[in-house]
Amino acid sequence: MRSSYVRTVGYAALLLALGHGTQAQDNGPSYTVFGTPGLLEMPTAESAGQGDIAATISYAGSGGYKTSFNYQLTDRLSGAFRYSTFDNWQIVDPANPDAARTKRTFDRSFDLQYRLTDESQYLPAIAVGLRDFLGTGRFGSEYIVGSKSVGSNLIVTGGLGWGRLGSRNGFSNPFGVIDSGFDTRPVYVDRVQGNEDDAGNGGTISVNQFFRGDAAFFGGFEYQLSPALGIKAEYSSNAYLKETFTPAVNVSSPLNFGLSYRPRPGVELNAAYLNGEDLSASATFLINPAKRSTASGLDPAPAPVRVRTADQRAAQTWDQVKQPEPAVRAGLTQLLQVEGIELVGLEITDRTARLRYENTRYRSEAQAMGRAARMMTQIIPPSVQTFVLEPMQAGLPLSSVTLPRRQIEQLENRVGGTAAIYDAASFGQAGAVDGLVMNPAPGPRFRWGIGPYLNLTIFSGTSALEADVGIQADAEYHVSRNFVISGRVRQSALGAQEALRFFDNPNDYANVRTDQAFFGRDGDLNLRHLTAAYYSRLTPEVYGRVTAGYLEQMYGGISTEVLYAPVGSRFALGAEVNYLAMRDQDMGLGFAQYRTERDPVTGFRNRVEDGDYTVVSGHVSAYFDIGKGFEARVDAGRYLAGDWGATFALDREFENGWKIGGYFTLTDMPFDQFGEGSFDKGIRITIPYDYFIGTPSRRTTSTTLQSLSRDGGARVQVQGRLYEAVRGGQRSELDDTWGRFWR
């Protein structure tokens, strides 16, 4: 549902704050009202800096409002997601043509652009792009565009467009020479004249339209008057034909003019006069996850490596009279606590010391490992030549890294020391508990916090933005290292709120997600989640998890999971089975399922109690670390509505912990049963806290931007799934973050 397109404006505001410190390209591209690199409405062949994220909020008169996110995935490939709002969507009842009315509507669209060639001394940069290729098609276009710098201040652009960008002064498709099938473009019929279903559900790739039908030229230029101020002019090839585009956009001229102003790096403001009719304004905020916008290097300085003397290195045995084992253990425990590292187990022989520990502070296990190794040099008997470090999380030993002590002493301050200590290390599965002298687990640890919350619901279906504020309390009770009970309660300060309304989406499936907007709206104290989670290592390469309780806002039950994750492999395989029951919509302790029925007068759905709803869902999951920060994942199985299918995802993690990715889900639920959007898809972003505060932290904040959240392809939300718990200690992840070992 539209409410699941969460926190878009909130994240745009976040990008605004972060953008103040971002180092955007000095002469990088400016942005269109569509939120993509370009002129005013027309694209250019320019690319943003690799990794750049641009959030654009624009208003274009009769063209409505647009909120867009553009991401430069690689040096050449970029993608954009856009949510548009129109206030003058015309509805005509064929039985009563005189009763025409207008209403507000929303539209989602996705873009892709790939730069084919770089600009050279004599040739332009050339790019090919798709606009609104995965939405309703209201802006559906394809284009080939070239851009060339003329001197240091002028960029000239010319292109050839199809679809919407081929609707003004079009001519026969030049690709028709190759195949006559390119001459005709399947007609997109918009939801106009009462034909609200003519556009279909949207969300499917309109391959049969790509580069078909008439083509038209567009072009323009941008001239930089100063480093901060530029002027733009363009000839638009989009005629906004009223026969095929609603709501109607006022057009009396193909010429658009505008100004671009960059008051500081990462912020761009635009004003324009479009189509000879409309004034337009937009603001774009840029951030690059690979660049830190706040102060960095605020980590507390590590203790220096203690270098043994020649006589100490020559020792063959451990003098346990001079250094009794209990004293060594107690001393190392205290030293590690300074670094936010908990000593779990220790085994010392004459030549080897094996440390099992839990890192509670550092996002990178490699950084925690470097800190632990330094502390071991301070107190471990000098006869010990080899350190074996075994990180843990959630009570699960993740891996084993063996380091020669002499290399640690020699390489700490040497140029190239990071690569050298990596070459000296060996990696494997964590050993058995046998031989380890375990520190007693700390007594049951109770942690809690209370504070305000702000929840933004974007594009709810009846308004562009709804906010809920109040107080929430979180608590955790660690029964042991691998058994934790946690919960959250929330009290709204706004009291009872009317349930968000959405158009009817009739299908043969239970409303497993489309009723989410009815949950927790009565103004009473509500339980967000309350779970008990137990983790175990079943074999050296297989992990297990059982979580029971109120798992999330809508569902309670039992979730079980196993994960096969060899340390040295880039591949992991998991399986999860859940037995779930839908919770009561007051989000108390009860369970009840509701269905919704369409009100014949208002056209909106109202809830009707319909007994209990239970479901068994589960997936087999495959994870593959591609390298260079890219990770692919496939989940195949049964979803909340009983539909069967698979989710495909690709994420990229930057060295500083930012993670950005996209996913889509295809199931056996027919597109017409799924409803608008046809299938589930979205973009997800994870940001580490240490990016903001500059000091070490393992905490992150995440959001998922969805075009729509429907009943098809829906999964239960379970905290603490195994792959995220163990991946930090995997060889591939240690490889990617090893640069932090000496930090």
Side-chain angles (χ1 to χ4, degrees), residues 500-679:
L500 302 178
R501 300 289 190 167
F502 302 98
F503 284 112
D504 191 20
N505 180 36
N507 59 42
D508 298 328
Y509 298 84
N511 296 325
V512 296
R513 280 297 180 212
T514 49
D515 281 354
Q516 183 171 328
F518 291 100
F519 282 72
R521 305 281 293 183
D522 57 9
D524 295 332
L525 185 72
N526 61 72
L527 179 66
R528 309 301 289 188
H529 75 268
L530 177 61
T531 59
Y534 180 79
Y535 299 85
S536 64
R537 186 166 73 147
L538 305 176
T539 74
E541 298 179 336
V542 179
Y543 303 91
R545 172 188 60 82
V546 177
T547 305
Y550 299 90
L551 302 175
E552 51 135 290
Q553 179 180 349
M554 290 185 67
Y555 293 93
I558 299 175
S559 173
T560 61
E561 182 185 10
V562 293
L563 178 72
Y564 170 70
V567 166
S569 174
R570 292 185 176 273
F571 177 80
L573 183 66
E576 178 180 292
V577 177
N578 310 297
Y579 176 76
L580 306 168
M582 186 177 289
R583 298 177 58 188
D584 197 322
Q585 292 179 1
D586 65 7
M587 293 179 62
L589 300 178
F591 291 87
Q593 188 260 339
Y594 295 81
R595 59 187 169 86
T596 55
E597 292 183 345
R598 183 167 183 166
D599 187 306
V601 177
T602 66
F604 292 113
R605 294 204 313 267
N606 295 307
R607 66 178 186 173
V608 179
E609 190 167 355
D610 196 32
D612 297 332
Y613 179 74
T614 60
V615 63
V616 175
S617 71
H619 290 79
V620 173
S621 302
Y623 311 84
F624 184 70
D625 189 327
I626 300 172
K628 296 185 178 181
F630 288 92
E631 181 180 281
R633 174 175 174 174
V634 178
D635 303 286
R638 192 172 193 245
Y639 294 83
L640 288 175
D643 48 329
W644 294 82
T647 299
F648 304 85
L650 179 66
D651 296 274
R652 181 184 182 186
E653 184 170 11
F654 294 85
E655 291 183 1
N656 60 8
W658 273 69
K659 193 172 183 179
I660 303 172
Y663 73 92
F664 66 91
T665 299
L666 297 173
T667 75
D668 60 0
M669 180 180 290
F671 288 173
D672 59 349
Q673 292 278 299
F674 181 93
E676 187 177 353
S678 296
F679 61 93

Side-chain angles (χ1 to χ4, degrees), residues 457-477:
T457 301
I458 311 303
F459 307 122
S460 66
T462 56
S463 64
L465 172 66
E466 286 196 10
D468 181 27
V469 296
I471 298 293
Q472 74 178 21
D474 293 273
E476 286 186 356
Y477 184 79

